[in-house]
Amino acid sequence: MHFDDSSVLEERTNVKTIIRHIDQLPSPPPVATKVLTEVLNGAADFTEISRLIETDQSLTLKILKIANSMAYGYRGKISTIESAVATIGLDTLKNALLSVIIRDSFCNAPEEGDEELVRIWKHTLATAVAASLLAERVRPELKGIAFAAGIVHDCGKLVLLTALPEDYEKLLNKSRETGHSILDLEQQHFGVAHTQVGKWLLQKWGLPQTLSDVTWLHHHSPEALITLGGSAEIAALLSLAGILAHEVMLDEPNQEHTQAKDALLAYFDLPAQELSAIIQRIGEGYANRAAMFNLKNDAALFYFEALQRANSVLSLKNAELQQSTGHLRRANALLEVIGDASSALAELHDTWDVLNTVADIFRLQLNAREGFIHSLDTEKQCLRGIFWSSSENTEISLPLGQDGNPKTTGLDIPPRLAEALQTLSYRIPESGTPRPTRLSGAGPYCLAPLFSSDGFSGEIIFRPQRDGRRFIQEEHSGYLQLAQIVATTLERLAMENSLEQRAERLASTLGKLRRLNSKLVQTERLAAVGQLAAGAAHEINNPLAIIYARTQLMAHREKDDKKKHDFRQMMDQIERITSILKNLMDFARPTPPRIEATSLNALTKRTLSLVQGELTKNHIRLETAFFDALPDILGDASQLEQVLLNLIINSEHAIIERLKRPDMSNEDGLIHLTTALDKRQHKALIVLTDNGIGISQENLKKIFDPFFTTKEEGKGTGLGLSTSYGIIAGHDGEIHYDSREKAGTTVTITLPLAAEASPAAPKVQTTSQGTAILVVDDEKHIREILKESLESRGYRVQTAPDGQTALQRLSQNRYRLMLLDLRMPSRDGFSLLEHARKHIRKMPVIILTGMAGPEEEQKALALGATRCVHKPFQIKALMDDIESLLREKIS
């Protein structure tokens, strides 16, 4: 297979070198391997073990040497293997055999000057001792294998150190200096870790599977070791022992060790007090067993070396601490400035004050010799800011060019600062770009951007006392934090200014709404008065109808001309009252427009009758001139009456105001109203002129605006003319004002004429004899008057006091015509019409009502009524209507 990547090829070469080195290592004595296996399995006795050892002369000499070198209180010299085994015990024998197997398999002894080899052997022995002590406390059943596992667990490092000595020493040093995992470094550089190499070695030597598994697994994560079980539990115990050995020897501090240690202690449920006791015994156990590995066996020396390493670490930490203290002092000083600046800026309410204050902070407290703080005004396309030098602040406003950079030509600032400003557009970040975490630079200047909620809003450009490139991260963060405080303050001031403007507009709007509400209240009050007047008019109508009808009957019977004249006079006044009440009800009642042919003269006269009394009371003379042959117009009489009424009342008020003014003429008030015909334009005209106070040219432009009024509070709503304008416009007409101050006003209204009416159908004569009529009304006197009037003309009449009685009459008899009041007890006129349809069929029905509006009249007509007559009514006119309807039915 061909590899282009040289690193892959080198990795494969390293692995081959390691495997080749394992193959070249001398195999351990077969006798030692067999004895070790039987001891680990727990199936051997002293006699058999002794006989096996005696078969290997070299092994025999080493065991006797170990037995005689260890102080067991035996006074004589040990000369037999059986005595040696009995003296040192199987555990020590196992350890001695492992030391022989591993130590003798490598070229160099630990104390032959190889520092890395010595370090590995020391850690190996310390780990084995710690594993034995831990097993004794937490897993007694593993005590026999724990020490042996500790002796072999790092044999892979011995292989790598002897196979690739220079490369591996560099990796070990790099791991200690950087804290990087030695496993990761081994895998990266050699393609295999020392745990895998150790497993290969022990498998080649034929040692028990448990030892090779532990050697392979002991660097796995605690979570993995805890869940695997079996040999993995021994590996977990060994992993904790290795961590304790590093702590005691102070040779390899690692944050990962601390995390793994906590997990393993929790798994083995080992209290802190007992852990401390185990750690204290590691040095003693190390010293007792050092001789087997040709290591110095002084426990004091073991701890002294650890203390030396601790002092070295502390010296390095102290230097780092001194540097960190200096950094912290600088950061704290900057934080104090930031705190003072935050408090000072919070009390300011002017943008220039903020910019000047920030310039003073940089110049006086942060020792920035010069700089420029600016705010970007995107609306006016300029920079507004403060340039500071060692002695003063200067306000500067710079326009932005087409490229988005400020124009600095002719500006008295340092050239390098001008260069920094001319690259502003390149420093404005795009939307969504993360905020910077460090200051940027431009020559000798540092740049701290200002960001509002809408994005980039300005910049602080300053020249620090010390080279900004040597700032620590805390200083970068501090200056950026100060810049953000400044940006937030400027945004706050902008919002305050905007809110103040909005508050002023809101106050103005609230004032207008308050005046509007006052006018609406007045309008509602007028509407309520109108409704009250309409209701009162209806209550008057019924008794007035009785009086009017009775007067007509009395006048008809009277023979004396003088009394006839008196009755006629009484009827005229009743008709006058009726006209006033009708006009008042029509005006007060809100009705939808009814566009129909209407006499302009008639509706004008009705309107004038409403105001005649008030005008006379105020000494205002009313003059009229009506065009007699004026054709009908097409419009809503009620709405047009409202327009005329508004115009007349305005003229009345203008005249009264003039009469109050001492500087104006005291002549009597005059309102002149005429109607006219414009044949050429096919339109009718109403012209209203008064000699009131007049209207100024300025106000004349606003008279049709809603709620505009020149009257004092409570005297007008400002809606009259705007409403009138809308009504006239809705009739396809025009309204025009001509007025001068102190010279009176003329109003001209132009309305289109209605189409000419078709000729009336010829009347059909009929007789009233023998025709039955039903009169239904809750007023007894009205029933009697109607019955008397109809019978005097030869009609047969029946009456009913309510709708229920009338319904019974209709079910029993047939009538040719019915006079019906709408508002009655028991069953009103609407209900009667609805339930008596099969009895009424084609029978004419005349509605008599004192208050019904257009909607109610339309409803009655829809239910079968023929026409509506308002109370009080003229008896003759009503009789004529009855005869007309009966003739139409006959025809």
Side-chain angles (χ1 to χ4, degrees):
M1 183 179 294
H2 176 70
F3 290 92
D4 292 331
D5 192 338
S6 60
S7 63
V8 175
L9 182 60
E10 182 181 355
E11 177 183 300
R12 287 171 55 83
T13 301
N14 287 333
V15 173
K16 288 180 179 180
T17 301
I18 294 167
I19 295 174
R20 189 184 307 114
H21 183 73
I22 292 175
D23 292 338
Q24 293 173 353
L25 287 174
S27 297
V31 173
T33 303
K34 183 175 181 181
V35 172
L36 178 62
T37 301
E38 292 188 5
V39 171
L40 290 174
N41 291 334
D45 57 27
F46 286 109
T47 302
E48 293 178 358
I49 292 298
S50 300
R51 288 176 182 174
L52 282 172
I53 292 173
E54 288 173 350
T55 61
D56 188 318
Q57 184 178 2
S58 175
L59 186 58
T60 299
L61 291 174
K62 291 175 182 177
I63 297 300
L64 288 173
K65 180 181 177 181
I66 292 173
N68 284 292
S69 65
M70 299 181 68
Y72 286 98
Y74 188 77
R75 295 184 177 181
K77 190 163 183 71
I78 299 174
S79 58
T80 67
I81 288 298
E82 190 169 352
S83 299
V85 173
T87 300
I88 65 177
L90 291 178
D91 282 344
T92 303
L93 175 62
K94 171 184 59 182
N95 300 336
L97 291 172
L98 281 172
S99 68
V100 169
I101 292 172
I102 297 177
R103 186 188 62 194
D104 292 352
S105 297
F106 296 92
C107 299
N108 299 326
E111 292 297 332
E112 290 182 0
D114 191 332
E115 183 180 349
E116 289 295 349
L117 187 63
V118 171
R119 182 178 280 120
I120 293 173
W121 277 110
K122 286 182 177 181
H123 174 69
T124 295
L125 180 56
T127 301
V129 171
S132 177
L133 294 172
L134 285 170
E136 183 180 357
R137 166 62 185 82
V138 299
R139 295 292 188 273
E141 70 277 9
L142 301 179
K143 182 180 178 183
I145 193 69
F147 189 89
I151 292 299
V152 302
H153 84 285
D154 266 352
C155 62
K157 286 186 177 181
L158 295 174
V159 174
L160 294 174
L161 188 62
T162 56
L164 302 164
E166 294 183 1
D167 292 340
Y168 196 53
E169 283 184 12
K170 291 180 181 178
L171 285 191
L172 291 172
N173 288 329
K174 184 176 181 180
S175 176
R176 284 190 291 271
E177 291 172 358
T178 63
H180 291 162
S181 168
I182 186 61
L183 292 177
D184 294 340
L185 294 174
E186 291 167 349
Q187 195 70 44
Q188 180 181 352
H189 287 79
F190 301 146
V192 65
H194 73 271
T195 53
Q196 184 70 40
V197 174
K199 178 182 178 182
W200 291 344
L201 177 66
L202 296 183
Q203 286 177 339
K204 176 180 180 296
W205 284 352
L207 292 183
Q209 180 71 29
T210 301
L211 295 182
S212 62
D213 287 345
V214 169
T215 302
W216 176 47
L217 294 171
H218 74 277
H219 272 301
H220 279 52
S221 68
E223 294 79 11
L225 296 176
I226 290 170
T227 57
L228 289 174
S231 299
E233 187 168 37
I234 306 174
L237 186 71
L238 190 63
S239 179
L240 178 57
I243 294 172
L244 297 182
H246 282 307
E247 290 183 356
V248 171
M249 299 177 72
L250 297 173
D251 61 349
E252 193 177 320
N254 193 305
Q255 182 64 28
E256 294 180 0
H257 287 174
T258 302
Q259 298 173 354
K261 176 184 173 183
D262 293 339
L264 292 168
L265 289 176
Y267 172 66
F268 288 115
D269 194 20
L270 186 63
Q273 185 176 0
E274 295 189 21
L275 176 65
S276 177
I278 290 174
I279 292 174
Q280 292 175 4
R281 293 172 59 192
I282 292 177
E284 180 184 353
Y286 175 92
N288 291 339
R289 295 170 175 81
M292 288 187 294
F293 297 90
N294 290 337
L295 297 171
K296 296 177 181 179
N297 59 352
D298 185 355
L301 179 61
F302 174 82
Y303 285 112
F304 178 72
E305 290 177 349
L307 183 61
Q308 281 185 318
R309 287 189 293 272
N311 286 335
S312 176
V313 172
L314 287 175
S315 296
L316 180 61
K317 292 293 185 183
N318 185 53
E320 294 176 352
L321 182 61
Q322 287 182 348
Q323 183 182 17
S324 178
T325 301
H327 291 172
L328 185 61
R329 191 179 297 113
R330 285 156 54 185
N332 284 339
L334 181 56
L335 284 176
E336 289 182 7
V337 173
I338 293 172
D340 295 341
S342 180
S343 301
L345 295 176
E347 298 177 358
L348 300 179
H349 299 281
D350 180 79
T351 300
W352 287 109
D353 289 344
V354 171
L355 298 177
N356 274 293
T357 300
V358 175
D360 289 341
I361 290 171
F362 273 85
R363 179 164 55 87
L364 301 175
Q365 296 180 257
L366 297 176
N367 299 317
R369 290 172 288 181
E370 62 187 26
F372 181 52
I373 174 174
H374 65 80
S375 175
L376 179 62
D377 191 334
T378 54
E379 291 185 3
K380 297 183 178 180
Q381 287 294 296
C382 69
L383 295 184
R384 296 188 305 163
I386 298 292
F387 166 70
W388 77 85
S389 59
S390 58
S391 59
E392 62 180 357
N393 299 342
T394 305
E395 294 184 3
I396 294 178
S397 182
L398 301 175
L400 297 179
Q402 295 294 330
D403 57 357
N405 294 314
K407 299 178 181 179
T408 58
T409 306
L411 192 63
D412 187 18
I413 60 176
R416 300 292 295 275
L417 178 58
E419 292 176 6
L421 286 173
Q422 288 168 1
T423 59
L424 172 66
S425 61
Y426 298 102
R427 296 194 296 274
I428 298 178
E430 296 182 358
S431 177
T433 303
R435 300 283 176 89
T437 57
R438 296 176 64 86
L439 299 171
S440 57
Y445 296 97
C446 293
L447 300 94
L450 306 179
F451 289 99
S452 68
S453 57
D454 294 329
F456 182 87
S457 61
E459 207 170 31
I460 303 176
I461 306 174
F462 64 98
R463 187 169 185 175
Q465 185 181 34
R466 187 178 65 259
D467 188 356
R469 289 172 293 186
R470 292 187 296 161
F471 280 169
I472 59 175
Q473 181 58 43
E474 288 77 6
E475 287 178 301
H476 284 279
S477 300
Y479 280 110
L480 291 175
Q481 181 181 356
L482 178 57
Q484 190 55 48
I485 292 172
V486 174
T488 302
T489 303
L490 292 174
E491 186 172 20
R492 171 179 62 82
L493 294 183
M495 291 180 65
E496 286 180 358
N497 184 51
S498 175
L499 289 174
E500 185 176 351
Q501 293 177 359
R502 290 184 181 182
E504 292 175 357
R505 291 197 298 269
L506 181 61
S508 175
T509 302
L510 287 175
K512 293 179 181 178
L513 288 176
R514 195 177 296 111
R515 293 190 295 272
L516 173 62
N517 184 62
S518 176
K519 293 177 180 179
L520 289 176
V521 169
Q522 181 68 12
T523 302
E524 290 293 330
R525 186 178 301 164
L526 292 174
V529 171
Q531 292 295 326
L532 182 63
H538 173 260
E539 293 301 320
I540 295 172
N541 263 336
N542 274 334
L544 192 63
I546 297 171
I547 296 172
Y548 187 45
R550 184 58 65 185
T551 304
Q552 292 177 66
L553 292 176
M554 292 171 64
H556 179 69
R557 294 169 184 168
E558 185 60 52
K559 305 298 183 181
D560 188 336
D561 292 338
K562 173 67 170 63
K563 290 183 179 180
K564 277 182 176 284
H565 178 268
D566 293 341
F567 285 130
R568 182 66 261 171
Q569 190 177 35
M570 292 172 61
M571 287 188 290
D572 288 343
Q573 296 306 311
I574 293 173
E575 289 173 0
R576 180 183 175 191
I577 295 172
T578 302
S579 176
I580 293 173
L581 289 176
K582 183 179 184 303
N583 291 337
L584 182 61
M585 290 170 63
D586 288 344
F587 181 77
R589 183 188 298 114
T591 60
R594 293 180 60 185
I595 305 300
E596 56 188 2
T598 303
S599 170
L600 185 60
N601 285 342
L603 69 87
T604 302
K605 292 176 182 178
R606 287 197 300 269
T607 305
L608 292 176
S609 68
L610 290 173
V611 298
Q612 180 65 66
E614 187 70 17
L615 295 177
T616 302
K617 177 182 175 182
N618 289 312
H619 309 288
I620 298 173
R621 190 169 75 256
L622 177 64
E623 295 180 353
T624 60
F626 296 105
F627 189 85
D628 292 335
L630 186 66
D632 288 348
I633 61 170
L634 194 64
D636 184 298
S638 176
Q639 290 187 351
L640 294 175
E641 287 173 12
Q642 179 182 347
V643 172
L644 284 174
L645 188 63
N646 284 335
L647 298 181
I648 295 170
I649 291 175
N650 285 343
S651 294
E652 178 188 4
H653 289 169
I655 293 171
I656 293 174
E657 185 66 24
R658 180 185 64 78
L659 295 175
K660 291 180 181 178
R661 298 278 293 269
D663 58 331
M664 296 188 67
S665 170
N666 59 358
E667 63 178 324
D668 290 343
L670 173 65
I671 295 177
H672 185 76
L673 188 148
T674 63
T675 61
L677 176 64
D678 185 346
K679 293 183 178 180
R680 183 171 55 85
Q681 296 187 3
H682 198 66
K683 292 182 178 180
L685 284 76
I686 302 177
V687 180
L688 179 71
T689 302
D690 66 59
N691 61 349
I693 195 171
I695 305 172
S696 68
Q697 294 302 306
E698 179 183 357
N699 290 336
L700 196 60
K701 301 175 182 178
K702 299 182 286 185
I703 58 174
F704 295 121
D705 293 345
F707 302 108
F708 173 77
T709 180
T710 58
K711 299 174 183 176
E712 60 185 75
E713 194 71 26
K715 290 293 183 67
T717 64
L719 292 171
L721 287 181
S722 64
T723 303
S724 298
Y725 182 87
I727 291 174
I728 297 301
H731 284 72
D732 294 328
E734 296 178 357
I735 180 170
H736 176 71
Y737 260 75
D738 183 14
S739 181
R740 287 182 300 163
E741 200 167 6
K742 300 181 181 180
T745 300
T746 298
V747 186
T748 303
I749 297 176
T750 305
L751 294 167
L753 299 176
E756 294 185 4
S758 57
K763 293 184 178 180
V764 179
Q765 298 295 325
T766 184
T767 177
S768 60
Q769 297 299 322
T771 303
I773 295 177
L774 177 62
V775 177
V776 186
D777 199 303
D778 60 332
E779 283 284 346
K780 177 181 178 182
H781 298 295
I782 290 180
R783 293 198 306 271
E784 291 176 350
I785 290 172
L786 289 173
K787 188 174 186 298
E788 181 179 340
S789 299
L790 289 167
E791 287 179 345
S792 67
R793 295 211 174 195
Y795 295 103
R796 289 189 301 108
V797 180
Q798 288 187 352
T799 62
D802 53 54
Q804 187 61 37
T805 305
L807 186 60
Q808 294 174 358
R809 296 251 196 277
L810 289 170
S811 63
Q812 297 170 357
N813 303 292
R814 296 189 60 158
Y815 299 94
R816 300 298 302 277
L817 184 140
M818 180 169 62
L819 296 172
L820 175 64
D821 187 15
L822 285 179
R823 300 180 184 275
M824 295 180 297
S826 180
R827 185 186 292 275
D828 62 17
F830 296 115
S831 177
L832 177 60
L833 289 172
E834 189 171 357
H835 287 81
R837 286 185 179 181
K838 65 178 181 179
H839 303 300
I840 296 175
R841 295 180 182 175
K842 297 182 179 181
M843 179 181 69
V845 177
I846 297 177
I847 299 297
L848 301 176
T849 177
M851 189 179 178
E855 296 92 341
E856 292 175 305
E857 292 180 10
Q858 290 297 327
K859 181 179 178 181
L861 295 174
L863 290 174
T866 308
R867 66 181 59 179
C868 295
V869 175
H870 289 269
K871 299 176 182 178
F873 47 81
Q874 288 187 349
I875 293 179
K876 183 178 183 305
L878 178 59
M879 297 298 115
D880 291 343
D881 283 343
I882 292 173
E883 291 178 358
S884 174
L885 287 174
L886 292 177
R887 281 196 301 269
E888 289 176 6
K889 186 176 180 183
I890 292 173
S891 65

